[in-house]
Amino acid sequence: MAFFLLRSILLVVAVGTVTAQVTRRYQFDIQLANVTRLCHTKSVVTVNGQFPGPKIFAREGDRVIIRVNNHVQNNVTLHWHGVRQLFSGWADGPAYVAQCPIQTGQSYVYNFTIVGQRGTLWWHAHISWLRATLYGPIIILPKLGVPYPFAKPDKEVPIIFGEWFNTDTEAIINQALQSGGGPNVSDAYTINGLPGPLYNCSAKDTFKLKVKPAKTYLLRIINAALNDELFFSIANHSLTTVDVDAVYVKPFDSNTIIVAPGQTTNVLLRTKPAYPEAQFLMMARPYATGQGTFDNSTPALPSLNDTNFVTTFTNKLRSLDSSEYPAQVPQSVDQNLFFTVGLGTNPCPKNQTCQGPNGTKFAASVNNISFAMPTTALLQSHFFGQSKKVYSPYFPISPLHYFNYTGTPPNNTLVNSGTKLMVLDFNTTVELVMQDTSILGVESHPLHLHGFNFFVVGQGFGNYDPQRDPPKFNLVDPVERNTVGVPSGGWVAIRFRADNPGVWFMHCHLEVHTSWGLKMAWLVLDGKLPNQKLPPPPSDLPKC
């Protein structure tokens, strides 16, 4: 549980200015820094010695250039989470998918343009568990002269949820993968890198937001936690949700919101008119639907497994669908796909004791394929026609074996392993249904698709019914996202247009599930016209 203070005082707010549509340049030096939390000091990987990392500011339409210099012993890549990366797949960042890692002493320049997006996104490391400390916000303002479609706030504040581990996260996941069991949980949740006053030895490490009475604040909320969806609330205040994943939504009020790892939510906070020197707690706690041990928390927020609240909240999310910001939902579908997502097992190697279910190793899969990461980048292999022995272009469009997905699980929980890509022609419209399974227990999975936004046209519990469920789909104003939770013991249906050539990762944003193999990749082929083709890679593209 993380608690934070909102203090009501008079404050002079400085208003900054941002120039119009420019090229914005940043230098990110990956370096070690000593950070102390909970009376534990450790050396962590940071950008420019900052934890959390620096903010990136841009306006819709701006070009962003970030030079990344790696000064640590770890291989590193950075991902600009939620940025569409239209025709700039070389800048997307996931290791061994879009690029080879940036090795010690090497540099790489990420170069992309913000197209048709405004709101809050974020950046983070995309290799192993380095994103535990390598993350920061991306603030995208509207074009100059274009107002928000809601009341202009008096101030804007990034609020980044994270997790603090007293020990080295790389050692934690390496030990878990070796033993086959679940990894150790974090020692604290954080907001803007600070655990809050209810943890031991943390009274001074509390994020305090100083506010003026009767003012409106835009909170740019990011869930950068490794393995937990989080509820968030501010005592005695309601929050108005106006934007998710850098897409405007129809505003609605609630006392609590839910944000999955990878997701962002912009909310308006209207402070009380007359509470001088009052302090209000800001609270975050996990939403946990799977098995395992979780961090300490209190009953001030929805219960750990309050799926009803999560369902009610997510059903309120609707695209703004105005004349300025229409919801361009594909009304026809070229390719229907059905993916099962969930946990499973791998056999324990001979002469080894494993800590997974019944002496096995934990695994995770999509359509029972646990994704095996290649040793060279998929996008590079595809672009240069060197895909042989790197990947297969035959990812299954539906499960190879049908069963009662949310009923009694099958006796055989073993998964297959492979590096298979789902290949799409340029401009294909896709409907994808993702179905949770009860193998080793039902669980919510926040799935993130790189390179695209998608529309969440339907969701439900139990097994998806291809006859009964599609007539209920919302094809008018469904929410548009880049990360969506597959409901615990249920399914979600999304639609998108494959208008971005390249190789695009899709994975669970619970980092432990990604490590276990709950990931896959899409290959979107070039179109026929010159402006429908992926440009060649930059000259400084890292080599494996």
Side-chain angles (χ1 to χ4, degrees):
M1 165 63 68
F3 280 93
F4 311 87
L5 295 179
L6 177 73
R7 192 175 180 191
S8 180
I9 65 172
L10 289 178
L11 180 71
V12 177
V13 179
V15 179
T17 58
V18 184
T19 56
Q21 299 182 341
V22 295
T23 296
R24 302 184 183 274
R25 299 180 183 272
Y26 295 86
Q27 179 164 313
F28 277 20
D29 288 303
I30 310 296
Q31 58 194 56
L32 296 176
N34 288 331
V35 177
T36 301
R37 299 289 187 270
L38 309 181
C39 284
H40 287 259
T41 300
K42 67 174 185 176
S43 181
V44 302
V45 181
T46 69
V47 167
N48 301 343
Q50 300 177 36
F51 170 69
K55 303 177 184 69
I56 289 177
F57 287 96
R59 284 192 182 273
E60 180 186 349
D62 284 352
R63 184 184 182 195
V64 180
I65 297 177
I66 306 110
R67 180 180 180 85
V68 178
N69 305 310
N70 187 7
H71 303 290
V72 301
Q73 294 302 308
N74 307 77
N75 289 343
V76 171
T77 70
L78 295 183
H79 169 54
W80 320 97
H81 185 112
V83 173
R84 280 292 315 274
Q85 298 293 0
L86 280 165
F87 300 93
S88 56
W90 305 106
D92 192 44
Y96 302 106
V97 178
Q99 67 170 94
C100 297
I102 308 168
Q103 299 178 26
T104 306
Q106 289 186 345
S107 301
Y108 183 51
V109 176
Y110 292 92
N111 187 339
F112 54 88
T113 299
I114 305 291
V115 180
Q117 296 180 281
R118 75 294 298 171
T120 305
L121 298 173
W122 63 300
W123 60 265
H124 61 82
H126 214 302
I127 184 169
S128 192
W129 278 26
L130 289 183
R131 78 172 178 89
T133 57
L134 276 177
Y135 61 84
I138 301 176
I139 309 301
I140 307 173
L141 301 174
K143 293 179 179 179
L144 275 175
V146 177
Y148 292 129
F150 46 82
K152 180 177 174 58
D154 297 289
K155 187 177 181 180
E156 303 182 11
V157 183
I159 302 286
I160 312 175
F161 304 146
E163 291 182 82
W164 172 260
F165 296 77
N166 286 332
T167 53
D168 177 29
T169 52
E170 294 301 282
I172 289 173
I173 185 55
N174 289 339
Q175 190 276 334
L177 293 176
Q178 177 68 24
S179 70
N184 291 340
V185 299
S186 61
D187 295 283
Y189 296 111
T190 60
I191 282 185
N192 293 347
L194 301 172
L198 294 193
Y199 289 108
N200 291 333
C201 192
S202 190
K204 294 181 180 179
D205 291 331
T206 299
F207 173 70
K208 297 180 181 180
L209 174 59
K210 298 178 180 180
V211 299
K212 296 170 67 175
K215 296 294 183 181
T216 299
Y217 294 79
L218 179 66
L219 305 184
R220 296 177 174 270
I221 298 170
I222 300 165
N223 189 349
L226 284 187
N227 291 310
D228 281 310
E229 303 181 59
L230 292 169
F231 297 114
F232 174 73
S233 182
I234 299 177
N236 296 334
H237 287 77
S238 66
L239 304 171
T240 303
T241 299
V242 294
D243 182 303
V244 297
D245 292 359
V247 180
Y248 296 133
V249 297
K250 291 182 173 69
F252 66 93
D253 296 339
S254 61
N255 293 329
T256 303
I257 67 170
I258 178 75
V259 190
Q263 291 182 338
T264 64
T265 303
N266 283 2
V267 299
L268 296 178
L269 166 68
R270 297 176 179 88
T271 55
K272 298 293 183 180
Y275 279 79
E277 299 298 321
Q279 298 187 74
F280 301 94
L281 286 171
M282 292 191 280
M283 298 163 283
R285 75 173 295 174
Y287 165 58
T289 55
Q291 304 176 34
T293 303
F294 300 95
D295 306 316
N296 291 335
S297 48
T298 76
L301 286 168
S303 63
L304 281 172
N305 59 353
D306 194 343
T307 296
N308 286 335
F309 173 89
V310 174
T311 303
T312 301
F313 181 86
T314 55
N315 284 340
K316 291 179 181 178
L317 293 170
R318 299 294 181 95
S319 287
L320 191 57
D321 193 33
S322 65
S323 57
E324 295 83 5
Y325 306 103
Q328 298 176 325
V329 190
Q331 297 297 307
S332 61
V333 174
D334 300 320
Q335 181 72 67
N336 288 92
L337 303 170
F338 183 83
F339 291 176
T340 54
V341 295
L343 304 184
T345 60
N346 279 324
C348 188
K350 291 183 179 179
N351 303 318
Q352 181 179 334
T353 301
C354 293
Q355 298 174 1
N358 300 315
T360 62
K361 283 189 163 190
F362 270 113
S365 66
V366 181
N367 274 352
N368 204 44
I369 297 174
S370 187
F371 193 80
M373 295 299 290
T375 55
T376 189
L378 295 172
L379 182 57
Q380 188 174 337
S381 302
H382 159 68
F383 189 87
F384 291 108
Q386 300 170 342
S387 60
K388 190 176 181 181
K389 296 184 179 179
V390 177
Y391 65 83
S392 161
Y394 301 112
F395 192 90
I397 64 172
S398 59
L400 300 179
H401 300 286
Y402 290 87
F403 60 97
N404 183 1
Y405 305 115
T406 55
T408 303
N411 292 327
N412 182 4
T413 62
L414 296 178
V415 301
N416 297 315
S417 179
T419 309
K420 298 185 178 184
L421 273 59
M422 175 63 69
V423 180
L424 298 172
D425 288 330
F426 182 81
N427 236 17
T428 299
T429 54
V430 177
E431 181 177 288
L432 168 63
V433 176
M434 291 181 284
Q435 171 75 58
D436 184 32
T437 71
S438 59
I439 298 175
L440 303 186
V442 295
E443 188 165 358
S444 176
H445 298 280
L447 267 292
H448 171 48
L449 175 59
H450 290 227
F452 299 92
N453 280 355
F454 50 76
F455 292 95
V456 184
V457 297
Q459 65 177 36
F461 291 99
N463 296 333
Y464 171 73
D465 188 317
Q467 277 74 47
R468 295 183 180 178
D469 290 323
K472 306 172 189 174
F473 285 178
N474 177 7
L475 302 180
V476 177
D477 63 349
V479 68
E480 184 179 351
R481 307 209 71 141
N482 64 62
T483 304
V484 65
V486 179
S488 176
W491 56 271
V492 65
I494 66 173
R495 286 189 180 187
F496 65 96
R497 181 179 297 276
D499 57 358
N500 198 8
V503 176
W504 304 105
F505 210 21
M506 189 176 80
H507 59 96
C508 183
H509 229 276
L510 301 178
E511 206 64 37
V512 60
H513 291 175
T514 298
S515 300
W516 287 340
L518 210 168
K519 49 195 174 185
M520 55 85 66
W522 306 75
L523 168 56
V524 179
L525 301 175
D526 283 344
K528 296 178 180 179
L529 302 177
N531 64 350
Q532 297 174 339
K533 300 180 187 300
L534 178 69
S539 59
D540 64 340
L541 185 70
K543 295 179 174 57
C544 292

